Coordinates of all heavy atoms in Angstrom, one line a residue:
M1 N 33.9 -123.9 -11.1 CA 33.6 -122.6 -10.7 C 34.0 -122.4 -9.2 O 33.7 -123.3 -8.4 CB 32.1 -122.4 -10.9 CG 31.7 -121.0 -10.4 SD 29.9 -120.6 -10.6 CE 29.3 -121.6 -11.9
S2 N 34.6 -121.4 -8.9 CA 35.1 -121.1 -7.5 C 33.9 -120.7 -6.7 O 32.9 -120.1 -7.2 CB 36.2 -120.1 -7.5 OG 35.6 -118.8 -7.7
P3 N 33.9 -120.9 -5.3 CA 32.8 -120.4 -4.5 C 32.6 -118.9 -4.6 O 31.4 -118.5 -4.5 CB 33.3 -120.8 -3.1 CG 34.3 -121.9 -3.2 CD 35.0 -121.6 -4.6
R4 N 33.7 -118.2 -4.8 CA 33.5 -116.7 -4.9 C 32.7 -116.3 -6.1 O 31.8 -115.5 -6.1 CB 34.8 -116.0 -4.9 CG 34.7 -114.5 -5.0 CD 36.0 -113.9 -4.9 NE 35.8 -112.4 -5.0 CZ 36.7 -111.6 -5.3 NH1 38.0 -112.0 -5.5 NH2 36.5 -110.3 -5.4
S5 N 33.0 -116.9 -7.3 CA 32.3 -116.6 -8.5 C 30.9 -117.1 -8.4 O 30.0 -116.5 -9.0 CB 33.0 -117.2 -9.7 OG 33.1 -118.6 -9.6
A6 N 30.6 -118.2 -7.7 CA 29.2 -118.7 -7.5 C 28.4 -117.6 -6.7 O 27.2 -117.4 -7.0 CB 29.2 -120.0 -6.8
V7 N 29.0 -117.0 -5.7 CA 28.3 -116.0 -4.9 C 28.0 -114.8 -5.8 O 26.9 -114.2 -5.7 CB 29.2 -115.6 -3.7 CG1 28.6 -114.4 -3.0 CG2 29.2 -116.8 -2.7
I8 N 29.0 -114.4 -6.5 CA 28.8 -113.2 -7.4 C 27.7 -113.5 -8.4 O 26.9 -112.6 -8.7 CB 30.2 -112.9 -8.1 CG1 31.2 -112.3 -7.1 CG2 29.9 -111.8 -9.2 CD1 32.6 -112.2 -7.6
R9 N 27.7 -114.7 -9.0 CA 26.7 -115.0 -10.0 C 25.3 -115.0 -9.4 O 24.3 -114.5 -9.9 CB 27.0 -116.4 -10.6 CG 25.9 -116.9 -11.5 CD 26.3 -118.2 -12.1 NE 27.0 -117.9 -13.3 CZ 27.6 -118.8 -14.1 NH1 27.6 -120.1 -13.7 NH2 28.2 -118.5 -15.2
R10 N 25.1 -115.6 -8.1 CA 23.8 -115.5 -7.5 C 23.4 -114.1 -7.1 O 22.2 -113.8 -7.3 CB 23.9 -116.4 -6.2 CG 23.8 -117.9 -6.5 CD 23.5 -118.6 -5.2 NE 24.4 -118.4 -4.1 CZ 25.5 -119.2 -3.9 NH1 25.7 -120.2 -4.6 NH2 26.3 -118.9 -2.9
T11 N 24.3 -113.3 -6.7 CA 24.0 -111.9 -6.4 C 23.6 -111.1 -7.6 O 22.6 -110.4 -7.5 CB 25.3 -111.2 -5.7 OG1 25.7 -112.0 -4.6 CG2 24.9 -109.8 -5.3
L12 N 24.3 -111.3 -8.7 CA 23.9 -110.6 -9.9 C 22.5 -111.1 -10.4 O 21.7 -110.3 -10.9 CB 24.9 -110.8 -11.0 CG 26.2 -110.0 -10.8 CD1 27.2 -110.4 -11.8 CD2 26.0 -108.5 -10.8
A13 N 22.3 -112.4 -10.3 CA 21.0 -113.0 -10.8 C 19.8 -112.4 -9.9 O 18.8 -112.0 -10.5 CB 21.0 -114.5 -10.7
A14 N 20.0 -112.3 -8.6 CA 19.0 -111.7 -7.8 C 18.8 -110.3 -8.1 O 17.6 -109.8 -8.1 CB 19.4 -111.9 -6.3
A15 N 19.8 -109.5 -8.4 CA 19.7 -108.1 -8.7 C 18.9 -107.9 -10.0 O 18.0 -107.1 -10.1 CB 21.1 -107.4 -8.8
F16 N 19.3 -108.7 -11.0 CA 18.6 -108.6 -12.3 C 17.1 -109.0 -12.2 O 16.2 -108.4 -12.8 CB 19.3 -109.3 -13.4 CG 20.5 -108.7 -13.9 CD1 21.8 -109.3 -13.8 CD2 20.5 -107.4 -14.4 CE1 22.9 -108.7 -14.2 CE2 21.6 -106.7 -14.8 CZ 22.8 -107.4 -14.7
A17 N 16.8 -110.0 -11.3 CA 15.4 -110.4 -11.1 C 14.6 -109.3 -10.5 O 13.5 -109.0 -10.9 CB 15.4 -111.7 -10.3
G18 N 15.2 -108.6 -9.5 CA 14.6 -107.5 -8.9 C 14.3 -106.4 -9.9 O 13.2 -105.8 -9.9
V19 N 15.2 -106.1 -10.7 CA 15.0 -105.0 -11.7 C 13.9 -105.5 -12.7 O 13.1 -104.7 -13.1 CB 16.3 -104.7 -12.5 CG1 16.1 -103.9 -13.7 CG2 17.3 -104.1 -11.6
G20 N 13.9 -106.7 -13.1 CA 12.8 -107.2 -14.0 C 11.5 -107.1 -13.4 O 10.5 -106.7 -14.0
V21 N 11.3 -107.4 -12.1 CA 10.0 -107.2 -11.4 C 9.6 -105.8 -11.4 O 8.4 -105.4 -11.7 CB 10.1 -107.8 -10.0 CG1 8.8 -107.4 -9.2 CG2 10.2 -109.3 -10.0
A22 N 10.5 -104.9 -11.1 CA 10.2 -103.4 -11.1 C 9.8 -102.9 -12.5 O 8.9 -102.1 -12.6 CB 11.4 -102.6 -10.6
V23 N 10.4 -103.4 -13.5 CA 10.0 -103.0 -14.9 C 8.6 -103.5 -15.2 O 7.8 -102.8 -15.8 CB 11.1 -103.5 -15.9 CG1 10.6 -103.3 -17.3 CG2 12.4 -102.8 -15.7
V24 N 8.3 -104.8 -14.9 CA 7.0 -105.4 -15.2 C 5.9 -104.7 -14.4 O 4.9 -104.3 -15.0 CB 7.0 -106.9 -14.9 CG1 5.6 -107.4 -15.0 CG2 7.9 -107.6 -15.8
L25 N 6.1 -104.4 -13.2 CA 5.1 -103.7 -12.4 C 4.9 -102.3 -12.6 O 3.9 -101.7 -12.5 CB 5.4 -103.9 -10.9 CG 5.3 -105.4 -10.4 CD1 5.7 -105.4 -8.9 CD2 4.0 -106.0 -10.6
G26 N 6.0 -101.6 -13.1 CA 5.9 -100.2 -13.4 C 6.0 -99.3 -12.1 O 6.1 -99.9 -11.0
P27 N 5.9 -98.0 -12.3 CA 5.9 -97.1 -11.2 C 4.6 -97.3 -10.3 O 3.6 -97.6 -10.8 CB 6.0 -95.8 -11.8 CG 5.4 -95.9 -13.2 CD 5.7 -97.4 -13.6
V28 N 4.8 -97.1 -9.0 CA 3.7 -97.2 -8.1 C 3.1 -95.9 -7.9 O 3.8 -94.9 -7.7 CB 4.2 -97.8 -6.7 CG1 3.0 -97.8 -5.7 CG2 4.8 -99.2 -6.9
A29 N 1.8 -95.8 -8.1 CA 1.1 -94.5 -7.9 C 1.0 -94.2 -6.4 O 0.9 -95.0 -5.6 CB -0.3 -94.6 -8.5
P30 N 1.1 -92.9 -6.1 CA 1.0 -92.5 -4.7 C -0.4 -92.8 -4.2 O -1.4 -92.7 -4.9 CB 1.3 -91.0 -4.7 CG 1.0 -90.6 -6.1 CD 1.2 -91.7 -7.0
A31 N -0.5 -93.1 -2.9 CA -1.8 -93.4 -2.3 C -2.6 -92.1 -2.3 O -2.1 -91.0 -2.1 CB -1.6 -93.8 -0.8
Q32 N -3.9 -92.3 -2.5 CA -4.8 -91.1 -2.5 C -5.4 -91.0 -1.0 O -5.8 -92.0 -0.4 CB -6.0 -91.4 -3.4 CG -5.5 -91.5 -4.9 CD -4.9 -90.2 -5.4 OE1 -5.4 -89.1 -5.1 NE2 -3.8 -90.3 -6.1
A33 N -5.5 -89.8 -0.6 CA -6.0 -89.5 0.8 C -7.6 -89.7 0.8 O -8.2 -89.4 -0.2 CB -5.7 -88.1 1.2
I34 N -8.1 -90.2 1.8 CA -9.5 -90.4 2.0 C -10.1 -89.0 2.3 O -9.6 -88.3 3.2 CB -9.9 -91.3 3.1 CG1 -9.4 -92.7 2.8 CG2 -11.4 -91.4 3.4 CD1 -9.6 -93.8 3.9
P35 N -11.1 -88.5 1.5 CA -11.6 -87.2 1.7 C -12.2 -87.0 3.1 O -12.8 -87.9 3.6 CB -12.7 -87.0 0.6 CG -12.5 -88.2 -0.3 CD -11.7 -89.2 0.4
A36 N -11.9 -85.8 3.6 CA -12.5 -85.4 4.9 C -13.9 -84.9 4.7 O -14.2 -84.3 3.7 CB -11.6 -84.4 5.6
C37 N -14.8 -85.2 5.7 CA -16.1 -84.6 5.7 C -16.1 -83.2 6.3 O -15.7 -83.0 7.4 CB -17.0 -85.6 6.5 SG -18.8 -85.2 6.3
R38 N -16.6 -82.3 5.5 CA -16.6 -80.9 6.0 C -17.8 -80.7 7.0 O -18.8 -81.3 6.8 CB -16.7 -79.9 4.8 CG -15.5 -80.0 3.9 CD -15.6 -78.9 2.8 NE -16.9 -78.4 2.5 CZ -17.2 -77.7 1.4 NH1 -16.3 -77.5 0.5 NH2 -18.4 -77.2 1.2
A39 N -17.6 -79.7 7.9 CA -18.7 -79.4 8.8 C -19.9 -78.9 8.0 O -19.7 -78.1 7.0 CB -18.2 -78.3 9.8
G40 N -21.1 -79.3 8.4 CA -22.3 -78.8 7.7 C -22.7 -79.7 6.6 O -23.6 -79.3 5.8
Y41 N -22.0 -80.8 6.4 CA -22.3 -81.8 5.3 C -22.5 -83.2 5.8 O -21.9 -83.6 6.8 CB -21.2 -81.8 4.3 CG -21.2 -80.6 3.4 CD1 -20.6 -79.4 3.8 CD2 -21.8 -80.6 2.2 CE1 -20.6 -78.3 3.0 CE2 -21.8 -79.5 1.3 CZ -21.2 -78.3 1.8 OH -21.2 -77.2 1.0
Q42 N -23.4 -83.9 5.2 CA -23.5 -85.4 5.4 C -22.7 -86.0 4.3 O -22.7 -85.7 3.2 CB -25.0 -85.8 5.2 CG -25.1 -87.3 5.3 CD -26.5 -87.8 5.2 OE1 -27.4 -87.4 6.0 NE2 -26.8 -88.7 4.3
C43 N -21.8 -86.9 4.7 CA -20.9 -87.6 3.8 C -21.0 -89.1 3.8 O -21.2 -89.7 4.8 CB -19.4 -87.2 4.2 SG -19.1 -85.5 4.3
T44 N -21.0 -89.6 2.6 CA -21.1 -91.1 2.4 C -19.9 -91.6 1.6 O -19.5 -91.0 0.6 CB -22.4 -91.4 1.6 OG1 -23.5 -90.9 2.3 CG2 -22.5 -92.9 1.4
Y45 N -19.2 -92.6 2.2 CA -18.1 -93.3 1.6 C -18.6 -94.7 1.2 O -19.1 -95.4 2.1 CB -17.0 -93.4 2.6 CG -16.5 -92.1 3.3 CD1 -17.1 -91.5 4.3 CD2 -15.3 -91.6 2.8 CE1 -16.7 -90.4 4.9 CE2 -14.8 -90.4 3.3 CZ -15.5 -89.8 4.4 OH -15.0 -88.6 4.9
T46 N -18.5 -95.0 -0.1 CA -19.0 -96.3 -0.5 C -17.7 -97.0 -1.1 O -17.1 -96.5 -2.0 CB -20.1 -96.2 -1.6 OG1 -21.1 -95.4 -1.0 CG2 -20.6 -97.5 -2.0
Y47 N -17.5 -98.2 -0.7 CA -16.3 -99.0 -1.1 C -16.8 -100.1 -2.0 O -17.8 -100.8 -1.7 CB -15.6 -99.6 0.1 CG -15.0 -98.5 1.0 CD1 -15.7 -98.0 2.1 CD2 -13.7 -98.0 0.7 CE1 -15.1 -97.0 2.9 CE2 -13.2 -97.0 1.5 CZ -13.9 -96.5 2.6 OH -13.3 -95.5 3.4
Y48 N -16.0 -100.3 -3.1 CA -16.3 -101.4 -4.1 C -15.2 -102.4 -4.2 O -14.1 -102.2 -3.8 CB -16.5 -100.7 -5.5 CG -17.7 -99.7 -5.5 CD1 -17.5 -98.4 -5.0 CD2 -18.9 -100.2 -5.9 CE1 -18.6 -97.5 -5.0 CE2 -20.0 -99.3 -5.9 CZ -19.8 -98.0 -5.5 OH -20.9 -97.1 -5.5
S49 N -15.6 -103.6 -4.8 CA -14.7 -104.7 -4.8 C -13.6 -104.5 -5.9 O -12.6 -105.2 -5.9 CB -15.4 -106.0 -5.1 OG -16.1 -105.9 -6.3
S50 N -13.9 -103.7 -6.9 CA -12.9 -103.5 -8.0 C -13.1 -102.2 -8.7 O -14.0 -101.4 -8.4 CB -13.1 -104.7 -9.1 OG -14.3 -104.5 -9.8
N51 N -12.3 -101.9 -9.7 CA -12.4 -100.7 -10.4 C -13.5 -100.6 -11.4 O -13.7 -99.5 -12.0 CB -11.0 -100.4 -11.2 CG -10.8 -101.4 -12.3 OD1 -11.5 -102.4 -12.4 ND2 -9.8 -101.1 -13.1
T52 N -14.4 -101.6 -11.4 CA -15.6 -101.5 -12.2 C -16.7 -100.8 -11.4 O -17.7 -100.4 -12.0 CB -16.1 -102.9 -12.6 OG1 -16.4 -103.6 -11.4 CG2 -15.1 -103.6 -13.5
Y53 N -16.5 -100.6 -10.1 CA -17.5 -100.0 -9.2 C -18.9 -100.6 -9.3 O -19.9 -99.8 -9.4 CB -17.5 -98.4 -9.5 CG -16.2 -97.8 -9.1 CD1 -15.2 -97.7 -10.0 CD2 -16.0 -97.3 -7.8 CE1 -13.9 -97.1 -9.7 CE2 -14.8 -96.7 -7.5 CZ -13.8 -96.6 -8.4 OH -12.6 -96.1 -8.1
E54 N -19.0 -101.9 -9.4 CA -20.3 -102.6 -9.5 C -20.7 -103.2 -8.2 O -21.9 -103.2 -7.9 CB -20.2 -103.6 -10.6 CG -20.0 -103.0 -12.0 CD -19.9 -104.1 -13.1 OE1 -19.8 -105.3 -12.7 OE2 -19.8 -103.7 -14.3
T55 N -19.8 -103.8 -7.5 CA -20.1 -104.6 -6.3 C -19.7 -103.8 -5.0 O -18.5 -103.6 -4.8 CB -19.4 -106.0 -6.3 OG1 -19.8 -106.6 -7.5 CG2 -19.9 -106.8 -5.1
V56 N -20.6 -103.4 -4.2 CA -20.4 -102.7 -3.0 C -19.9 -103.7 -1.9 O -20.5 -104.8 -1.8 CB -21.6 -102.0 -2.5 CG1 -21.4 -101.3 -1.1 CG2 -22.0 -100.9 -3.5
V57 N -18.8 -103.4 -1.3 CA -18.3 -104.2 -0.2 C -18.4 -103.6 1.2 O -18.2 -104.3 2.2 CB -16.8 -104.7 -0.5 CG1 -16.7 -105.5 -1.7 CG2 -15.9 -103.5 -0.5
G58 N -18.6 -102.3 1.2 CA -18.8 -101.6 2.5 C -19.1 -100.2 2.3 O -19.1 -99.6 1.2
G59 N -19.3 -99.5 3.5 CA -19.6 -98.1 3.4 C -19.7 -97.4 4.8 O -19.7 -98.1 5.8
R60 N -19.7 -96.1 4.7 CA -19.8 -95.4 6.0 C -20.5 -94.1 5.6 O -20.2 -93.4 4.6 CB -18.5 -95.1 6.6 CG -18.6 -94.3 7.9 CD -17.2 -94.1 8.5 NE -17.4 -93.5 9.9 CZ -16.5 -93.0 10.6 NH1 -15.3 -92.9 10.1 NH2 -16.8 -92.5 11.8
T61 N -21.5 -93.7 6.5 CA -22.2 -92.4 6.4 C -22.0 -91.6 7.6 O -22.2 -92.2 8.7 CB -23.7 -92.6 6.0 OG1 -23.8 -93.3 4.8 CG2 -24.4 -91.3 5.9
L62 N -21.6 -90.4 7.5 CA -21.5 -89.5 8.6 C -22.7 -88.5 8.5 O -22.8 -87.7 7.6 CB -20.2 -88.7 8.6 CG -18.9 -89.6 8.6 CD1 -17.7 -88.7 8.4 CD2 -18.8 -90.3 9.9
F63 N -23.6 -88.6 9.4 CA -24.9 -87.9 9.4 C -24.7 -86.4 9.9 O -23.8 -86.2 10.7 CB -26.0 -88.6 10.1 CG -26.3 -89.9 9.5 CD1 -25.8 -91.1 10.1 CD2 -27.0 -90.0 8.4 CE1 -26.1 -92.3 9.5 CE2 -27.3 -91.3 7.8 CZ -26.8 -92.4 8.4
C64 N -25.6 -85.6 9.6 CA -25.6 -84.2 10.0 C -25.7 -84.0 11.5 O -25.1 -83.1 12.1 CB -26.8 -83.4 9.4 SG -26.6 -83.3 7.6
D65 N -26.3 -85.0 12.2 CA -26.4 -84.9 13.7 C -25.2 -85.4 14.4 O -25.2 -85.4 15.7 CB -27.7 -85.6 14.2 CG -27.6 -87.1 14.0 OD1 -26.6 -87.6 13.4 OD2 -28.6 -87.8 14.3
G66 N -24.1 -85.8 13.7 CA -22.9 -86.2 14.3 C -22.8 -87.7 14.5 O -21.7 -88.2 14.9
T67 N -23.9 -88.5 14.2 CA -23.8 -89.9 14.3 C -23.3 -90.5 13.0 O -23.2 -89.8 12.0 CB -25.2 -90.5 14.6 OG1 -26.1 -90.2 13.5 CG2 -25.7 -90.0 15.9
S68 N -22.9 -91.8 13.0 CA -22.4 -92.4 11.8 C -22.9 -93.8 11.8 O -23.4 -94.4 12.8 CB -20.9 -92.4 11.8 OG -20.4 -93.2 12.8
D69 N -22.9 -94.4 10.6 CA -23.3 -95.8 10.4 C -22.2 -96.4 9.4 O -21.9 -95.8 8.4 CB -24.7 -95.9 9.7 CG -25.2 -97.3 9.7 OD1 -24.7 -98.2 10.4 OD2 -26.1 -97.6 8.8
T70 N -21.7 -97.6 9.8 CA -20.7 -98.2 9.0 C -21.0 -99.7 8.8 O -21.6 -100.3 9.7 CB -19.3 -98.2 9.8 OG1 -19.0 -96.8 10.1 CG2 -18.2 -98.8 9.0
F71 N -20.7 -100.2 7.6 CA -20.9 -101.6 7.4 C -19.9 -102.2 6.4 O -19.2 -101.4 5.7 CB -22.3 -101.9 6.7 CG -22.4 -101.4 5.3 CD1 -22.2 -102.3 4.2 CD2 -22.7 -100.1 5.0 CE1 -22.3 -101.8 2.9 CE2 -22.8 -99.6 3.7 CZ -22.6 -100.5 2.7
G72 N -19.6 -103.5 6.5 CA -18.8 -104.1 5.5 C -17.3 -103.8 5.7 O -16.8 -103.5 6.8
A73 N -16.6 -103.8 4.6 CA -15.1 -103.6 4.5 C -14.8 -102.4 3.7 O -15.6 -101.9 3.0 CB -14.5 -104.8 4.0
T74 N -13.5 -102.0 3.9 CA -13.0 -100.9 3.0 C -12.2 -101.5 1.9 O -11.8 -102.7 1.9 CB -12.1 -99.9 3.8 OG1 -11.0 -100.7 4.3 CG2 -12.9 -99.3 4.9
S75 N -12.0 -100.7 0.9 CA -11.1 -101.2 -0.3 C -10.5 -100.0 -0.9 O -10.7 -98.8 -0.5 CB -12.0 -101.9 -1.3 OG -12.8 -101.0 -2.0
R76 N -9.7 -100.2 -1.9 CA -9.0 -99.0 -2.6 C -9.9 -98.3 -3.5 O -9.6 -97.2 -4.0 CB -7.8 -99.5 -3.2 CG -8.0 -100.5 -4.4 CD -6.8 -101.1 -5.0 NE -6.0 -100.0 -5.6 CZ -4.9 -100.3 -6.2 NH1 -4.4 -101.5 -6.2 NH2 -4.2 -99.3 -6.7
W77 N -11.1 -98.9 -3.8 CA -12.0 -98.3 -4.8 C -13.2 -97.6 -4.0 O -14.0 -98.2 -3.5 CB -12.6 -99.3 -5.8 CG -11.4 -99.9 -6.6 CD1 -10.8 -99.3 -7.6 CD2 -10.8 -101.1 -6.4 NE1 -9.8 -100.1 -8.1 CE2 -9.7 -101.2 -7.3 CE3 -10.9 -102.1 -5.4 CZ2 -8.9 -102.3 -7.4 CZ3 -10.1 -103.2 -5.5 CH2 -9.1 -103.3 -6.5
L78 N -13.1 -96.3 -4.0 CA -14.0 -95.5 -3.1 C -14.7 -94.5 -3.9 O -14.1 -93.8 -4.8 CB -13.1 -94.8 -2.0 CG -13.7 -93.7 -1.2 CD1 -14.8 -94.2 -0.3 CD2 -12.7 -92.9 -0.4
R79 N -16.0 -94.3 -3.6 CA -16.8 -93.2 -4.1 C -17.2 -92.4 -2.9 O -17.7 -92.9 -1.9 CB -18.0 -93.6 -4.9 CG -17.6 -94.2 -6.2 CD -18.6 -93.8 -7.3 NE -18.1 -94.1 -8.6 CZ -18.7 -95.0 -9.4 NH1 -19.8 -95.6 -9.1 NH2 -18.2 -95.2 -10.6
F80 N -17.0 -91.1 -3.0 CA -17.3 -90.2 -1.9 C -18.4 -89.2 -2.3 O -18.2 -88.5 -3.4 CB -16.0 -89.4 -1.5 CG -16.2 -88.4 -0.4 CD1 -16.4 -88.7 0.9 CD2 -16.1 -87.0 -0.8 CE1 -16.6 -87.7 1.8 CE2 -16.2 -86.1 0.2 CZ -16.4 -86.4 1.5
T81 N -19.5 -89.1 -1.6 CA -20.5 -88.1 -1.9 C -20.9 -87.3 -0.7 O -20.7 -87.7 0.4 CB -21.8 -88.8 -2.5 OG1 -22.3 -89.7 -1.5 CG2 -21.5 -89.6 -3.7
T82 N -21.3 -86.1 -0.9 CA -21.7 -85.2 0.1 C -23.1 -84.6 -0.2 O -23.5 -84.5 -1.3 CB -20.7 -84.0 0.4 OG1 -20.7 -83.3 -0.8 CG2 -19.3 -84.6 0.7
A83 N -23.8 -84.2 0.9 CA -25.0 -83.4 0.8 C -25.0 -82.4 1.9 O -24.7 -82.7 3.1 CB -26.2 -84.3 0.9
Q84 N -25.3 -81.2 1.6 CA -25.3 -80.1 2.6 C -26.5 -80.3 3.6 O -27.6 -80.6 3.2 CB -25.5 -78.7 1.9 CG -25.2 -77.6 2.9 CD -25.0 -76.3 2.2 OE1 -25.3 -76.2 1.0 NE2 -24.5 -75.3 2.9
C85 N -26.2 -80.1 4.9 CA -27.2 -80.3 5.9 C -28.1 -79.1 5.9 O -27.7 -78.0 5.6 CB -26.5 -80.4 7.3 SG -25.4 -81.8 7.4
N86 N -29.4 -79.3 6.3 CA -30.3 -78.2 6.4 C -30.0 -77.5 7.7 O -29.8 -78.1 8.8 CB -31.7 -78.7 6.4 CG -32.1 -79.3 5.1 OD1 -31.6 -78.9 4.1 ND2 -33.0 -80.3 5.1
D87 N -30.1 -76.2 7.7 CA -29.9 -75.3 8.9 C -31.2 -75.4 9.7 O -32.2 -74.9 9.2 CB -29.5 -73.9 8.5 CG -29.1 -73.1 9.7 OD1 -29.0 -73.6 10.8 OD2 -28.7 -71.9 9.4
P88 N -31.1 -75.9 10.9 CA -32.4 -76.0 11.7 C -32.9 -74.6 12.2 O -34.0 -74.6 12.7 CB -32.0 -76.9 12.9 CG -30.5 -76.6 13.1 CD -30.0 -76.4 11.7
F89 N -32.2 -73.5 12.0 CA -32.7 -72.2 12.5 C -33.3 -71.4 11.5 O -33.0 -71.1 10.5 CB -31.5 -71.5 13.2 CG -31.0 -72.3 14.4 CD1 -29.8 -73.0 14.3 CD2 -31.7 -72.4 15.6 CE1 -29.3 -73.7 15.4 CE2 -31.3 -73.1 16.6 CZ -30.1 -73.8 16.6

């Protein structure tokens, strides 16, 4: 086998391997935006370890008075909840 045909063979093998990986993994879903907290609401972001949403790994709460509390880590599995703030007037 000539050196040129060896290079062509390796190039084709790499190309087909890349196509095989793309076929196995399938299309990649677009990233979901993290919801914004609207004015006048208390918002809680709870992050989980997997798509079973059983084990909490972190979270963040944005309180009505403008303060926040954060713990743990973030992940791709997020639950977002809101509660309307009471009007003090």
Side-chain angles (χ1 to χ4, degrees):
M1 179 180 334
S2 72
R4 181 175 179 201
S5 61
V7 169
I8 293 171
R9 177 178 268 172
R10 282 195 303 264
T11 303
L12 288 174
F16 285 121
V19 169
V21 169
V23 169
V24 170
L25 295 178
V28 176
Q32 298 295 317
I34 296 174
C37 189
R38 296 185 340 195
Y41 284 82
Q42 175 177 303
C43 300
T44 301
Y45 303 82
T46 307
Y47 296 94
Y48 295 85
S49 63
S50 70
N51 64 350
T52 61
Y53 294 89
E54 293 175 354
T55 305
V56 175
V57 296
R60 180 173 189 198
T61 300
L62 303 172
F63 297 102
C64 294
D65 65 1
T67 62
S68 67
D69 188 22
T70 304
F71 72 95
T74 61
S75 73
R76 65 187 295 179
W77 297 283
L78 166 67
R79 286 220 171 116
F80 175 72
T81 58
T82 62
Q84 193 167 13
C85 299
N86 293 330
D87 189 1
F89 299 105

